[in-house]
Amino acid sequence: MSFDVVIRGGSVVTPAGTFIGDIGIKGEKISALGEDLDTTGANIIDASGHHVIPGVLDVHVHLELPFCGTVSADDYRSGTRAGARGGVTTVIDFAIPSANGSLSEAADTWMQKAEGKSLIDYTFHICITRYNEHKAQIKGMIDRGFTTFKEFMIYESEGWQSDDRALFGTLEKMREYGGMLLVHAESSRVLDELIARYHTPEMMKKYGARLHPMTRPNFVEAEAIQRAVQWSEATGGQLYIVHMSTGEGADIIRAAQGRGVPVIAETCVQYLVLDDSVFEREDGHLFACCPQLKKPKDVDRLWQGLRRGEVSVISTDTCTFTREQKAMWNGDWTKIPMGMPGLETLMPLTYTTGVLQGRLTLEEMCTKLSTNPAKIMGLYPRKGAIQIGADADLAIIHPQSTLTVSPSTMETNADWSPFEGWQLAGFSRTTLSRGDVIVDNYKVVGKEGRGRWLPRTSAGLEGSAAEAKAARVSRGPLSPMRAIDAELVQAS
Ligand SMILES: [Zn+2]
């Protein structure tokens, strides 16, 4: 057999185990795994002394997002170039409807942001911001290839907030259609009360940006996760908690999964490597993101959750703002554009603090950064693992050699980094996307606009809609809502 590309002599991480050997690529796909593959006529990439791992899926990014009175500074061009340097080969963004817009228009808008700019493959979660109006559009979006939806329990002022009625109703539809609902879980009313309480000139002068973490105690997230889990349990609709940041959240998820609730949790790498002591810094306001960074005990609990399984995915919630944009806060923490750059450092941070510091094995890292996100977001087996027939999306990383995080040498448009000066291993020496070399010798060489939209037919852990339906039937009337359904069927 002949190949277009042969990656030779690397330590290759596959679902069947890790082996030293070659990967043969034909066109866009992995077509052989083995030792001493035929290299006649092939472009040979030497991977000896390196790990060859599946390309990373960052399933939580916001590129060119209008937010907090400005627009996030990384667009599809800079954002996906940044991702590629960190071995990211797929991004999933959030398409958010405009003030009167439909779900379909939101998808069109985000398609336009990505087309002609994205270096890597992409798709979007569809945000439901006005349930009464959008609920009739959900099925159409699934038919169009979007199987994951998102609701925010906060952001009333942005016009994005969903109440319990919306959460409950959307989860019912997820159960019916086999989709999955992603939820930003923070308790908005309590949060509003705490912010109002401290939003005085005296307090702001005294505490500055430290008021950001002070007004978002752990129970703000825990109560909202608990409530969303309740609606998932009642309806049987698949729920995915985005950017979980608290130990309390991990406890709730673990308990819910133990009861068979179809809930999955994601954390972001910043919640694994930073804590809220950064707000003591003079430039602490730069670190404001939402949810904000928590305590060292939360950091430890999230790592534990990754090892034990209740935390399934690591993403970034990339939402880049420059120093100038962050300066809009002018001493008022409620006006800080919330978010941080992240795509470029996701894998280096996870590899350095996770694998090299003994918290995760290399294989576990690949599960959390590639295989699980691909499976959960309906992109497996096309994405997410090194196996025959999959897209040749790969990252080749040196086990030890490090680069210093320095915004001036990075692809992101951010002129700062939360990790500036950190020595990180795990930047991608070579990144391939569908067989194309897009990063070579740590530099982006791929052409912008080559990335493709990825249509999907399933989501969550239940596979296809048909499998999901079979699973629901076999589960029977376990939850309160299913019991009500059963009673109604009996009564009719
Ligand atoms: Zn987000």
Side-chain angles (χ1 to χ4, degrees):
M1 194 155 49
S2 68
F3 306 101
D4 299 316
V5 179
V6 174
I7 296 173
R8 233 177 26 185
S11 174
V12 183
V13 178
T14 80
T18 300
F19 73 100
I20 307 276
D22 306 343
I23 301 176
I25 299 169
K26 252 187 148 154
E28 301 188 338
K29 304 281 183 188
I30 295 170
S31 65
L33 299 170
E35 281 166 41
D36 298 320
L37 294 181
D38 180 5
T39 56
T40 317
N43 172 21
I44 300 168
I45 297 173
D46 178 21
S48 55
H50 287 71
H51 298 301
V52 185
I53 62 177
V56 170
L57 290 86
D58 188 348
V59 299
H60 191 150
V61 306
H62 303 277
L63 300 174
E64 206 187 329
L65 173 70
F67 185 45
C68 299
T70 180
V71 178
S72 67
D74 275 314
D75 64 1
Y76 272 84
R77 184 180 180 279
S78 64
T80 59
R81 287 172 65 91
R85 277 196 79 230
V88 176
T89 51
T90 301
V91 285
I92 310 187
D93 198 333
F94 294 80
I96 306 181
S98 59
N100 299 302
S102 66
L103 300 184
S104 202
E105 282 165 2
D108 293 342
T109 303
W110 258 260
M111 285 286 202
Q112 281 162 17
K113 289 180 203 271
E115 268 169 32
K117 282 190 180 170
S118 192
L119 174 64
I120 58 178
D121 294 348
Y122 55 88
T123 186
F124 319 112
H125 311 291
I126 305 296
C127 297
I128 295 167
T129 49
R130 294 185 304 283
Y131 172 70
N132 282 340
E133 188 182 321
H134 290 152
K135 62 184 174 187
Q137 302 166 13
I138 292 172
K139 178 68 166 56
M141 296 310 293
I142 290 183
D143 294 341
R144 196 180 153 181
F146 296 100
T147 51
T148 50
F149 297 84
K150 161 93 176 275
E151 287 178 350
F152 299 89
M153 294 171 81
I154 61 164
Y155 297 136
E156 188 174 24
S157 61
E158 305 273 347
W160 298 348
Q161 192 178 21
S162 288
D163 60 12
D164 288 337
R165 179 181 183 175
L167 291 165
F168 181 84
T170 308
L171 282 163
E172 281 188 314
K173 291 194 181 297
M174 296 301 108
R175 180 190 173 199
E176 189 180 346
Y177 305 138
M180 184 172 70
L181 180 64
L182 284 63
V183 170
H184 177 138
E186 288 188 287
S187 187
S188 80
R189 296 293 172 235
V190 173
L191 187 54
D192 290 347
E193 169 59 18
L194 295 178
I195 289 173
R197 199 174 287 180
Y198 296 107
H199 199 218
T200 66
E202 301 75 46
M203 293 294 280
M204 288 196 276
K205 193 151 183 264
K206 190 166 174 200
Y207 295 109
R210 276 181 290 168
L211 284 165
H212 185 53
M214 284 161 69
T215 50
R216 286 175 138 86
N218 285 23
F219 58 74
V220 165
E221 180 179 89
E223 183 277 336
I225 291 177
Q226 184 69 65
R227 189 148 39 94
V229 162
Q230 187 78 61
W231 303 143
S232 171
E233 188 160 19
T235 59
Q238 295 192 99
L239 172 69
Y240 178 100
I241 301 296
V242 296
H243 53 48
M244 187 169 73
S245 63
T246 57
E248 285 86 340
D251 292 343
I252 293 165
I253 297 295
R254 186 169 175 82
Q257 288 174 339
R259 301 195 298 277
V261 180
V263 60
I264 295 167
E266 161 199 279
T267 191
C268 300
V269 73
Q270 58 270 29
Y271 304 121
L272 296 169
V273 299
L274 295 173
D275 61 61
D276 68 6
S277 62
V278 294
F279 287 95
E280 310 284 335
R281 291 169 44 155
E282 202 163 330
D283 61 356
H285 70 286
L286 293 174
F287 293 81
C289 55
C290 185
Q292 96 295 348
L293 302 162
K294 299 295 194 301
K295 306 286 181 202
K297 71 174 172 42
D298 298 295
V299 173
D300 290 344
R301 179 67 184 84
L302 291 170
W303 279 112
Q304 183 193 39
L306 284 163
R307 281 189 300 273
R308 292 204 308 202
E310 59 266 28
V311 183
S312 299
V313 173
I314 309 172
S315 70
T316 61
D317 198 6
T318 292
C319 194
T320 305
F321 295 106
T322 61
R323 284 176 186 276
E324 191 186 338
Q325 288 176 304
K326 289 274 186 180
M328 287 165 60
W329 85 301
N330 219 358
D332 178 348
W333 91 97
T334 66
K335 296 197 166 63
I336 310 174
M338 287 183 292
M340 302 200 284
L343 269 156
E344 208 154 349
T345 43
L346 168 60
M347 183 175 44
L349 285 166
T350 310
Y351 182 74
T352 304
T353 64
V355 177
L356 293 185
Q357 293 177 16
R359 295 185 176 97
L360 295 177
T361 65
L362 180 64
E363 289 75 13
E364 284 169 336
M365 180 188 86
C366 294
T367 301
K368 305 297 179 179
L369 292 180
S370 301
T371 315
N372 278 356
K375 285 183 173 170
I376 291 164
M377 298 304 167
L379 292 167
Y380 189 86
R382 179 171 176 188
K383 306 291 189 189
I386 298 179
Q387 52 194 342
I388 290 168
D391 282 356
D393 289 3
L394 304 162
I396 302 177
I397 64 173
H398 192 275
Q400 298 293 339
S401 82
T402 61
L403 293 176
T404 306
V405 176
S406 157
S408 62
T409 61
M410 293 169 87
E411 290 290 341
T412 171
N413 282 338
D415 54 356
W416 70 284
S417 166
F419 317 107
E420 191 159 356
W422 292 28
Q423 294 280 326
L424 298 179
F427 282 99
S428 186
R429 187 206 72 181
T430 312
T431 308
L432 287 93
S433 163
R434 284 182 280 102
D436 287 347
V437 174
I438 59 169
V439 169
D440 183 28
N441 196 23
Y442 301 97
K443 293 206 170 54
V444 176
V445 296
K447 211 168 118 248
E448 68 190 62
R450 60 167 298 290
R452 281 194 210 134
W453 174 62
L454 299 166
R456 297 173 286 157
T457 57
S458 66
L461 294 174
E462 295 187 330
S464 69
E467 281 174 49
K469 196 168 179 192
R472 288 194 298 274
V473 170
S474 75
R475 271 208 303 267
L478 297 172
S479 72
M481 203 56 218
R482 288 188 215 117
I484 292 170
D485 286 351
E487 264 179 51
L488 289 174
V489 169
Q490 264 186 349
S492 65

